[in-house]
Amino acid sequence: MATAELVLGLLHGGPAHGYDVKRGHDAWFPDSKPLAFGQVYSTLARLERDELVEVVDRGSEGGPERTVYALTAKGRQHLAEWLAEPIQPALGAVDELVRKVVATIRTGEDATAFLARQRSSHLRRIRELKASGRTEDTPGRLARDYMALHLDADLRWLDTALDRITAQKESTR
């Protein structure tokens, strides 16, 4: 995940402190793993070191001290380049799901039982995504659609794997 670039994108709307960056990330991707505070602050520190963000204010306003960060011109340029660059398809990359199915088969475990459990888990997650995003803005809906469509593609792959494993078992009888 391009956390640094996402943080730059979150600062695109104006200066913010780490808590606002984390809250913004979690609002942009409500169904994803929340961004950890430690990751936010370590990312902001690296971005400051690389002169992509700068500290524009430090204050406490009666609470804990908060450092406010803003994009630099270099940071805006970096963000613009990242947004313009297409993502390379992950050729040759093997998803954890594929690794687990292959490992299940290779170790002699019950692959059909694993596939059934995984299929149920995927269906449950798709239902959750469809139920939670009915009144959302377009970017939020797009993020949910992306996740649901990827889960649906995984389901088709799980069904193909189950068909092949079943055919293999029947041919060896």
Side-chain angles (χ1 to χ4, degrees):
M1 180 170 82
T3 303
E5 285 77 10
L6 283 177
V7 169
L8 293 175
L10 289 158
L11 290 172
H12 185 266
H17 50 75
Y19 179 78
D20 286 337
V21 169
K22 184 233 182 317
R23 201 172 56 194
H25 173 275
D26 296 349
W28 279 11
F29 306 100
D31 297 303
S32 298
K33 182 179 173 184
L35 193 60
F37 281 108
Q39 190 173 9
V40 170
Y41 292 110
S42 64
T43 300
L44 286 167
R46 282 193 308 277
L47 292 170
E48 182 183 13
R49 178 201 64 206
D50 297 340
E51 301 174 344
L52 299 172
V53 300
E54 62 185 350
V55 174
V56 293
D57 190 27
R58 291 183 201 272
S60 64
E61 299 176 14
E65 182 176 302
R66 294 189 172 184
T67 303
V68 178
Y69 296 89
L71 282 178
T72 62
K74 185 177 174 183
R76 286 190 188 283
Q77 178 66 30
H78 183 85
L79 177 62
E81 290 170 5
W82 179 70
L83 292 173
E85 187 69 28
I87 296 170
Q88 294 298 316
L91 298 174
V94 178
D95 188 271
E96 183 177 352
L97 175 61
V98 176
R99 292 178 193 271
K100 216 163 189 179
V101 169
V102 169
T104 302
I105 294 168
R106 296 278 186 201
T107 59
E109 296 296 320
D110 186 355
T112 57
F114 172 77
L115 290 168
R117 287 190 303 273
Q118 191 61 55
R119 194 172 198 293
S120 293
S121 177
H122 271 60
L123 287 170
R124 184 175 41 254
R125 185 66 181 134
I126 288 171
R127 282 193 297 272
E128 290 170 359
L129 289 168
K130 288 183 177 178
S132 66
R134 297 211 167 110
T135 60
E136 199 169 323
D137 63 345
T138 299
R141 284 192 62 94
L142 288 172
R144 281 199 170 99
D145 289 348
Y146 178 85
M147 289 190 288
L149 290 171
H150 272 259
L151 290 170
D152 189 57
D154 283 351
L155 280 175
R156 289 192 307 270
W157 183 82
L158 289 167
D159 289 343
T160 298
L162 184 58
D163 289 345
R164 288 191 179 162
I165 291 168
T166 301
Q168 174 72 27
K169 283 182 180 176
E170 290 176 3
S171 72
T172 57
R173 286 185 185 176

